[in-house]
Amino acid sequence: MSSIQVNLETIAALIRDAEAKAGRKEGSVTLLAVSKFHPRESVLDAIAAGQMSFGENRVQEAFEKFSGMTALHPHVALHIIGTLQRNKAAKAVSVASCIESIDRLEILSELEKQCAKINKLMKIFFEYHTGEATKSGFKTYDELCKAVQFCADGNAPHLVPSGFMTMAPFTDDEKKVRASFIMLRETAQKLRAQFPSLPLSELSMGMSGDYRIAIEEGSTQVRIGTAIFGARA
């Protein structure tokens, strides 16, 4: 049994425990294995252990690592979780099944354009800035609302607005971390009510250090890397 398989089993058990303690239904939280800076071989080890969803920050690295992956493993899903540059949109569309880092209106138009070229449906999450000033994401509710409205108006038929993503501040202050997750959850609730025609059901929040708090506050997906793959290469 590989160390990656052992780590995945350990994390799965911890997530199930956190769900139970939060009064959540078992299986309501999925794991996104963040494989950035780790080789393709590590991804293949994780797939062999049953992990199918992966997150990458850098499009070029993701492209090199995941090109041809779905031909070998059709159920593997790649999520881009880092800021996406317009000139990398085509490459991202070619390998990813979800872009979690929608942080400005213009990237929606570019993604729609690239998805239309190959007739591909792409899940998207709107990234909302709830923590540190250095983090990306829509900075105001109005900006975020305009982006959701853009999709609701039918301007991006190849994009599937599936939910929201945030990064909590890097701090040991649990109150600040929890406030970040509460802010995303409550924002999502408002936008779901405002745009009932869109799915918007997912909340991608929580990483290795704060996933338990995120699960308590309604996360449906946690993003964990080092605890699975070890220290970054």
Side-chain angles (χ1 to χ4, degrees):
M1 186 180 291
S2 73
S3 60
I4 288 176
Q5 182 174 347
V6 172
N7 293 342
L8 282 166
E9 290 178 357
T10 299
I11 292 163
L14 290 170
I15 290 173
R16 299 293 88 85
D17 180 67
E19 286 174 336
K21 288 181 176 176
R24 303 276 303 277
K25 181 181 177 183
E26 183 175 337
S28 60
V29 181
T30 60
L31 169 65
L32 190 74
V34 179
S35 50
K36 63 180 181 179
F37 307 132
H38 295 280
R40 182 180 171 99
E41 290 72 23
S42 294
V43 173
L44 292 172
D45 282 349
I47 293 170
Q51 178 65 27
M52 293 294 146
S53 298
F54 297 87
E56 289 278 340
N57 278 53
R58 300 176 178 178
V59 172
Q60 186 59 39
E61 180 186 353
F63 183 79
E64 292 169 1
K65 200 181 299 183
F66 284 86
S67 287
M69 189 70 82
T70 52
L72 297 170
H73 304 283
H75 299 297
V76 166
L78 170 64
H79 293 214
I80 299 297
I81 58 177
T83 299
L84 181 61
Q85 312 266 328
R86 286 188 69 177
N87 63 356
K88 298 288 179 63
K91 193 163 278 190
V93 163
S94 71
V95 291
S97 55
C98 179
I99 308 294
E100 292 200 16
S101 49
I102 301 299
D103 60 357
R104 59 205 189 281
L105 194 57
E106 66 177 30
I107 201 65
L108 288 171
S109 298
E110 186 62 29
L111 280 174
E112 170 58 29
K113 174 183 170 184
Q114 298 302 332
C115 286
K117 285 181 180 179
I118 59 174
N119 194 28
K120 180 175 183 176
L121 288 178
M122 177 72 70
K123 287 179 63 176
I124 60 168
F125 289 8
F126 299 96
E127 184 176 4
Y128 195 35
H129 181 273
T130 64
E132 298 170 14
T134 56
K135 302 302 183 186
S136 55
F138 288 99
K139 299 296 190 293
T140 69
Y141 180 84
D142 285 347
E143 290 175 348
L144 175 61
C145 190
K146 285 177 183 176
V148 180
Q149 181 77 61
F150 179 85
C151 294
D153 288 344
N155 294 304
H158 292 87
L159 305 184
V160 183
S162 301
F164 304 88
M165 186 263 268
T166 199
M167 293 181 68
F170 186 69
T171 176
D172 292 328
D173 188 335
E174 182 179 318
K175 288 183 179 179
K176 290 183 178 179
V177 173
R178 190 176 297 278
S180 171
F181 296 147
I182 290 172
M183 183 177 180
L184 186 69
R185 187 190 72 226
E186 292 181 345
T187 298
Q189 288 170 344
K190 286 171 66 176
L191 288 166
R192 286 173 192 146
Q194 191 169 346
F195 300 101
S197 64
L198 301 180
L200 300 177
S201 60
E202 301 293 326
L203 287 182
S204 175
M205 58 187 196
M207 299 189 292
S208 295
D210 55 25
Y211 71 91
R212 285 185 173 275
I213 302 171
I215 290 172
E216 289 173 4
E217 297 303 338
S219 176
T220 64
Q221 176 191 269
V222 293
R223 309 183 301 273
I224 297 178
T226 302
I228 298 170
F229 298 106
R232 295 175 182 176

